[in-house]
Amino acid sequence: MVKQAYLTLTKLLSFGLIVTLTVCIGIWIDTRSTGHIMNEEINWTSLSFTCVEEQNPPVDSDADKWFKEARAIQKGERPGSNAYMLDLYEKAAEKKHYKALNNLANIYGYGSAGKRDEHRAIDLIEQGMALEVPACYYTMGHFLDQGIGVKQDKIAALPYLRKAADMGNRYGQYVIGEKLLSNFRLSPDKDKILPVGIKMLECSLGQGYSKAGIELGYYFSSRDHHKERGLIYLQKAGALGDTNALFSLHIAFKDGTKGATRNSQLAECYLRLSEEVDKDKTKTFPDIDTLCPLPPRPTE
């Protein structure tokens, strides 16, 4: 498994990802007991991204039933012990159910069901990566970033997160997009790098991850030009029922910030929606543009 992890990482380095502007970077990944050192030249200016939706392998019907039952117990939607839930997940994972592999790995990695087994967590994630499951690449990156089951290595985590992003995983797209926007605003190559970050976050938002919309909203609201573009992204996040986005829009139109013009009616509208979400966490607003229509953008 160590050899597999090493070969996987070597393959992933071709995606061109680092966190600093150094020309060459040494990446060290220590899985359990053995480490490998690699030096790779990485060129940020060649960075590119194509938005795709996540694709996953088909699942066995019996495994899917076991997975759904286990998930319902995990979420507290039906009664059941942790032991029974884990047994259901294990049965589904044996049949290579991709969600069961990833969920079970996270349970063992964090010990959230009273049973921590980091070695088992890595085994499950490696099985998922062998099936080319985008979420498992993301989880492996997260485990490396946090030092779960492997030696903590935030640099080595990045190729896995980037791979997940390129495979359509919305969480990977958010993490890498956010890093690009936050780390390279002052870079000489920002005109080449920042659009990639924006594109990743837009793709993540398009797949229903509201935090990506908030990140884009704050990014554009902090710029000298086109602040109103940030309001559009916050609106999209608000449509997904994100209270942070809704409250940010409330403040923006209440105080006339983030490129908004003071508008007490709109401010109250967003506040009302945020209060609805406080009462019902599942609430979304697909008709937000009708409920709280943004003012027309100024012509350029």
Side-chain angles (χ1 to χ4, degrees):
M1 277 181 274
V2 170
K3 181 179 179 182
Q4 179 184 346
Y6 170 67
L7 292 174
T8 302
L9 179 60
T10 304
K11 178 182 177 182
L12 292 179
L13 284 168
S14 65
F15 285 84
L17 182 62
I18 58 172
V19 289
T20 68
L21 290 173
T22 51
V23 176
C24 294
I25 181 171
I27 295 183
W28 175 41
I29 177 171
D30 183 341
T31 59
R32 300 186 184 151
S33 61
T34 305
H36 299 275
I37 297 176
M38 296 167 286
N39 290 304
E40 296 285 342
E41 183 172 312
I42 316 243
N43 183 3
W44 271 108
T45 61
S46 67
L47 192 64
S48 62
F49 173 73
T50 300
C51 180
V52 298
E53 290 191 8
E54 185 171 319
Q55 301 294 318
N56 288 291
V59 295
D60 175 85
S61 59
D62 287 334
D64 201 41
K65 291 177 184 177
W66 298 328
F67 166 79
K68 288 176 179 176
E69 185 178 355
R71 184 63 177 143
I73 295 171
Q74 186 181 16
K75 294 169 68 177
E77 295 174 351
R78 61 168 297 169
S81 66
N82 284 339
Y84 181 55
M85 176 191 71
L86 290 173
D87 182 60
L88 288 170
Y89 269 139
E90 286 284 7
K91 287 166 63 177
E94 285 177 9
K95 286 184 172 286
K96 305 301 183 184
H97 191 293
Y98 68 94
K99 287 185 178 180
L101 289 167
N102 192 59
N103 285 19
L104 196 55
N106 277 286
I107 289 171
Y108 286 140
Y110 289 99
S112 57
K115 186 174 181 180
R116 193 178 188 102
D117 187 341
E118 296 184 14
H119 286 252
R120 177 65 173 147
I122 296 299
D123 287 340
L124 290 161
I125 285 304
E126 287 182 337
Q127 290 181 47
M129 289 192 296
L131 295 172
E132 290 293 289
V133 177
C136 289
Y137 281 99
Y138 173 80
T139 299
M140 186 64 202
H142 186 68
F143 281 177
L144 279 161
D145 185 74
Q146 299 296 312
I148 297 173
V150 292
K151 181 179 177 64
Q152 185 178 33
D153 193 327
K154 294 181 179 294
I155 299 299
L158 292 171
Y160 291 96
L161 297 172
R162 176 63 204 260
K163 170 72 170 177
D166 284 325
M167 295 176 76
N169 181 266
R170 58 183 182 169
Y171 304 111
Q173 290 163 356
Y174 169 77
V175 169
I176 298 301
E178 187 277 331
K179 287 183 183 297
L180 293 178
L181 291 195
S182 62
N183 292 348
F184 293 93
R185 292 194 187 194
L186 302 179
S187 166
D189 293 319
K190 65 176 185 282
D191 290 340
K192 296 178 180 178
I193 297 171
L194 297 184
V196 178
I198 292 169
K199 196 172 182 181
M200 284 190 177
L201 290 168
E202 287 178 334
C203 192
S204 178
L205 176 61
Q207 295 190 82
Y209 196 47
S210 62
K211 286 182 68 175
I214 293 175
E215 185 67 31
L216 286 165
Y218 289 161
Y219 170 76
F220 281 100
S221 68
S222 67
R223 299 170 67 83
D224 292 334
H225 302 290
H226 310 307
K227 287 179 180 290
E228 68 282 350
R229 184 174 173 183
L231 299 175
I232 296 174
Y233 291 118
L234 290 173
Q235 180 91 333
K236 291 179 183 295
L240 296 168
D242 192 293
T243 53
N244 289 326
L246 292 168
F247 195 73
S248 291
L249 287 164
H250 162 68
I251 295 298
F253 283 100
K254 176 177 174 289
D255 298 338
T257 57
K258 294 183 172 64
T261 301
R262 282 191 179 91
N263 186 320
S264 60
Q265 185 177 357
L266 262 182
E268 287 303 312
C269 182
Y270 290 118
L271 181 61
R272 188 165 57 252
L273 296 189
S274 69
E275 290 171 345
E276 288 186 36
V277 178
D278 287 338
K279 295 176 183 176
D280 178 4
K281 301 301 183 184
T282 66
K283 189 81 172 178
T284 60
F285 306 99
D287 55 346
I288 194 170
D289 290 333
T290 300
L291 295 171
C292 307
L294 287 173
R297 292 180 64 182
T299 56
E300 300 178 4

